[in-house]
Amino acid sequence: EIVMTQSPATLSVSPGERATLSCRASQSVSSNLAWYQQRPGQAPRLLIYDASTRATDIPARFSGSGSGTEFTLTISSLQSEDFAIYYCQQYNNWLRWTFGQGTKVEIK
Amino acid sequence: EVQLLESGGDLVQPGGSLRLSCAASGFTFSSYGMSWVRQAPGKGLEWVSAMNGGGGSTYYADSVKGRFTISRDNPRNMLYLQMNSLRAEDTAVYYCAKTFGSNWLLDYWGQGTLVTVSS
């Protein structure tokens, strides 16, 4: 099983500031990496896939980068609606998908 | 607009059974693979099962293989998850999700239904 490790567990950021979230895979997943946002009490929402492609209707302030085992999600200027938990997911192993444990982005 | 609405979650005793349903609308249901993903209270996400659009191929996580069965009724736009021999560790919110692309990315999710396994 590919283990996905996210850091930090919690990130305290002021509105308008940049947030940088990390995700590391225990083995290479190429660019088969997605990011999801989960607001409290809501279902996850796909933000980024193929490591750097924004999903439909996702604002440009969200960007993803990386390949292999190291990945980054950057939120360029945090808005109030961006305070949430973010999960990375690898889909390199067909239907042996695994998720990271999540990074909570909270208001500083 | 894509909509997914899960139902069927409940409190069930260990060893019991439950069937979850997911009603889909806003897209051509039979053209897309569908998946179930669960989230234990306060925990992260765990993929559970998936099925292709035609219903001929099914996939399961090792943790549920042999106990859970995924199925679908394409004319009725419904996805199901039959859960047998339930354990405490199956307690979670269960989400159904639509897939897209060759990698079956999860692009739309329902709001989830809570399954609690406890005596």
Side-chain angles (χ1 to χ4, degrees):
Chain A
E1 173 181 303
I2 298 176
V3 177
M4 308 301 292
T5 303
Q6 292 184 240
S7 61
T10 303
L11 186 62
S12 298
V13 186
S14 299
E17 290 188 341
R18 173 188 295 261
T20 303
L21 290 66
S22 296
C23 176
R24 173 177 292 178
S26 60
Q27 63 189 78
S28 176
V29 298
S30 187
S31 295
N32 296 314
L33 191 285
W35 290 93
Y36 297 87
Q37 176 195 66
Q38 187 175 33
R39 295 171 178 150
Q42 295 190 18
R45 177 174 73 143
L46 178 65
L47 295 177
I48 300 284
Y49 63 95
D50 293 348
S52 61
T53 302
R54 276 190 302 277
T56 302
D57 294 333
I58 300 303
R61 64 180 181 274
F62 292 93
S63 63
S65 63
S67 65
T69 61
E70 301 284 342
F71 301 89
T72 300
L73 174 69
T74 301
I75 311 170
S76 61
S77 177
L78 272 158
Q79 308 297 304
S80 57
E81 62 267 28
D82 301 336
F83 293 96
I85 299 175
Y86 293 82
Y87 294 96
C88 62
Q89 177 217 355
Q90 67 80 20
Y91 47 93
N92 194 59
N93 282 7
W94 174 243
L95 291 173
R96 287 293 179 263
W97 305 328
T98 50
F99 295 84
Q101 79 281 16
T103 290
K104 181 180 181 180
V105 177
E106 63 176 24
I107 300 174
K108 186 174 182 180
Chain B
E1 178 191 5
V2 172
Q3 292 193 338
L4 300 167
L5 183 62
E6 303 93 337
S7 61
D10 204 348
L11 171 64
V12 61
Q13 292 190 339
S17 297
L18 207 58
R19 188 175 88 152
L20 306 182
S21 300
C22 172
S25 62
F27 63 103
T28 305
F29 184 67
S30 60
S31 295
Y32 294 91
M34 296 292 295
S35 187
W36 290 96
V37 178
R38 67 184 180 185
Q39 186 171 34
K43 302 297 185 181
L45 300 164
E46 180 188 15
W47 172 73
V48 172
S49 181
M51 172 174 263
N52 69 333
S57 298
T58 59
Y59 308 89
Y60 300 95
D62 290 342
S63 58
V64 306
K65 195 174 296 183
R67 301 187 298 123
F68 289 12
T69 302
I70 189 172
S71 63
R72 62 194 297 162
D73 183 340
N74 283 345
R76 299 181 65 185
N77 289 357
M78 294 293 296
L79 179 73
Y80 303 102
L81 186 67
Q82 177 67 43
M83 303 185 296
N84 298 331
S85 302
L86 283 161
R87 306 166 179 168
E89 54 264 36
D90 296 318
T91 294
V93 173
Y94 284 74
Y95 297 100
C96 73
K98 170 186 168 294
T99 76
F100 88 102
S102 59
N103 287 311
W104 283 24
L105 290 160
L106 306 174
D107 61 342
Y108 289 95
W109 299 54
Q111 289 301 304
T113 187
L114 177 62
V115 173
T116 304
V117 184
S118 175
S119 55

